[in-house]
Amino acid sequence: MGQGAMLTLADVLEAEDVARIREALAQAPWRDGRRTAGAAARKVKANSQADADNPKIAALARFVREALERNEVFAAYARPARWSTLMFNRYGPGETYGSHMDDALMGPEGARVRTDLSFTLFLSDPSTYEGGELVVEGVEGERAVKLPAGSMVVYSTGALHRVEPVTSGERLACVGWIQSFIRRADEREILFDLARVRGALPEGEARLLLDKASGNLLRLWGEP
């Protein structure tokens, strides 16, 4: 997978959970999305974000985070140690987010999160809006992502990326950033591969030895 790696996960949220979030966001207070962008990104950002300080929005963010923490594939891939504040964003017709790179460190002084991985959890059915693809740039070229509601994509935060202009409808998503226990992408890839192999093995000595190797690698590479 390496630095250009990208993981897509289907059905992280059930349809009824997506509907519940969308219903809550319909009543949410929204702010100019540029308020949370860095100096360079602010110049190319045009969207709205739900007020993260609102108690109902904070509760929605906790709900999404807990769903991600329960997802075994996500946990094995990301190895989350710390989380940024999860944000809900909205793009209407003509709104976009030009090519940019997210900040390497996020959060208030004394509680910084090193941003190893970024994710976008799609909350709108792709048939309800035109445009709005997440485009991630890499050495192999560009990859455009537009997933069903309740599905998500995880990618390296250091990658340049953009959201294409929405030409009709409304694009809702939840975005966030993760500091992983495993700083290096190649080491995370090895551990993820081992976790996938483990899932294919029956109980027995081979699985036990694989657990031993994985545990030793976690001790070698892990950063509490």
Side-chain angles (χ1 to χ4, degrees), residues 54-69:
N54 182 280
K56 293 184 179 179
I57 301 304
L60 286 182
R62 285 194 300 272
F63 176 78
V64 171
R65 174 174 166 173
E66 289 167 0
L68 296 182
E69 289 173 333

Side-chain angles (χ1 to χ4, degrees), residues 15-92:
E16 56 267 29
D17 293 329
V18 174
R20 169 190 162 194
I21 293 172
R22 288 178 55 84
E23 182 179 351
L25 291 177
Q27 308 299 321
W30 293 87
R31 295 181 174 182
D32 189 330
R34 290 174 295 184
R35 293 166 57 98
T36 59
R42 194 175 299 126
K43 299 176 182 178
V44 297
K45 186 176 185 180
N47 68 3
S48 301
Q49 285 178 187
D51 182 0
D53 295 327
N54 182 280
K56 293 184 179 179
I57 301 304
L60 286 182
R62 285 194 300 272
F63 176 78
V64 171
R65 174 174 166 173
E66 289 167 0
L68 296 182
E69 289 173 333
R70 291 192 300 270
N71 189 287
E72 293 181 359
V73 178
F74 175 82
Y77 182 76
R79 308 275 173 172
R82 302 178 69 186
W83 298 68
S84 74
T85 299
L86 274 59
M87 297 188 295
F88 297 92
N89 57 37
R90 179 179 68 185
Y91 293 80

